[in-house]
């Protein structure tokens, strides 16, 4: 879970960039994709009945989504 928390710590302050760049629709799409991905990973973990697999998928999906969020926020800062 450490990579997930690290990326979340780095990218959470950057979430204001969506509002500054007036790209709330893009943020909504990202939040929706995050929700779908997290629910899917938890369902896969429940289906295989293994907490370690569930936590691994959860951490990997969150890390991926926060890395994508950081890239999007960086690109939004260039456009402003």
């Amino acid at each position: 879970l450490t990579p997930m928390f690290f990326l979340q710590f780095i990218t959470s302050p950057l979430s204001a960039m969506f509002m500054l760049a007036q790209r709330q629709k893009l943020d909504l799409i990202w939040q929706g994709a995050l929700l779908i991905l997290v629910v899917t990973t938890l369902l896969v973990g429940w289906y295989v009945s293994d907490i370690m697999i569930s936590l691994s998928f959860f951490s990997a999906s969150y890390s991926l989504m926060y890395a994508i969020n950081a890239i999007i926020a960086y690109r939004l800062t260039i456009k402003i």
Side-chain angles (χ1 to χ4, degrees):
L1 294 175
T2 303
M4 177 191 75
F5 287 125
F6 173 74
L7 287 170
Q8 186 177 15
F9 178 75
I10 297 297
T11 60
S12 289
L14 300 175
S15 64
M17 289 309 303
F18 290 98
M19 277 47 107
L20 292 173
Q22 297 180 356
R23 300 296 302 259
Q24 290 89 357
K25 185 181 263 188
L26 181 60
D27 189 37
L28 177 66
I29 292 169
W30 182 83
Q31 292 287 342
L34 179 66
L35 174 68
I36 291 169
L37 194 60
V38 167
V39 168
T40 302
T41 58
L42 292 177
L43 287 175
V44 166
W46 176 74
Y47 180 73
V48 296
S49 298
D50 189 1
I51 190 73
M52 291 306 292
I53 290 175
S54 181
L55 283 175
S56 298
F57 283 158
F58 178 78
S59 178
S61 65
Y62 244 91
S63 297
L64 174 71
M65 289 303 289
Y66 274 115
I68 291 170
N69 189 7
I71 292 168
I72 293 171
Y74 176 73
R75 290 187 178 178
L76 289 177
T77 58
I78 293 174
K79 292 182 181 180
I80 290 181

